């Protein structure tokens, strides 16, 4: 059972990173849209944090995708850095 959970968390983390980069968002900018901290986003993307189904829906809405698209197995994202758009 643990392997399935870890695999799902890995796929979800990779897809969040994929869509964040595709949308040209830094972790900081994405965190602002999620109304959370950039450290929380980092923990999600590094598979250190579980997230609820409600949060998955919120993330999907930000990316303007269906929530199931966050669970599709894709190639692993290697480049994770995006320059921050907003300066506060």
């Amino acid at each position: 059972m643990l392997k399935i959970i870890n695999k799902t968390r890995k796929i979800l983390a990779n897809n969040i990173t994929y869509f964040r980069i595709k949308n040209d968002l830094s972790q900081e900018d994405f965190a602002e849209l999620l109304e959370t901290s950039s450290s929380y986003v980092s923990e999600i993307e590094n598979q250190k944090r579980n997230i609820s189904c409600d949060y998955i829906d919120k993330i999907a809405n930000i990316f303007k995708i269906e929530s199931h698209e966050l669970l599709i197995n894709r190639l692993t994202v290697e480049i994770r850095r995006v320059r921050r758009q907003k300066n506060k």
Side-chain angles (χ1 to χ4, degrees):
M1 181 80 162
L2 187 57
K3 284 185 179 182
I4 293 171
I5 293 170
N6 287 338
K7 181 178 179 184
T8 302
R9 190 183 294 182
K10 183 177 182 179
I11 291 169
L12 182 59
N14 187 64
N15 282 322
I16 290 170
T17 304
Y18 169 82
F19 283 108
R20 178 178 60 76
I21 291 170
K22 184 177 178 185
N23 285 274
D24 200 31
L25 293 170
S26 67
Q27 285 184 339
E28 293 86 358
D29 294 329
F30 182 52
E32 285 180 14
L33 294 172
L34 274 177
E35 300 174 341
T36 191
S37 68
S38 57
S39 62
Y40 184 79
V41 170
S42 177
E43 288 176 354
I44 292 170
E45 290 186 358
N46 288 297
Q47 307 166 44
K48 295 180 180 175
R49 184 70 85 142
N50 262 336
I51 60 176
S52 70
C53 291
D54 293 337
Y55 223 68
I56 291 171
D57 285 341
K58 187 173 183 175
I59 290 168
N61 286 333
I62 289 170
F63 294 141
K64 296 178 177 54
I65 60 172
E66 296 293 323
S67 55
H68 72 271
E69 292 181 71
L70 291 169
L71 297 172
I72 296 171
N73 201 359
R74 301 176 200 282
L75 292 175
T76 302
V77 176
E78 297 298 329
I79 300 170
R80 295 173 164 233
R81 290 292 226 196
V82 173
R83 173 174 265 154
R84 185 150 193 213
Q85 300 293 320
K86 302 175 189 175
N87 291 324
K88 289 192 175 188

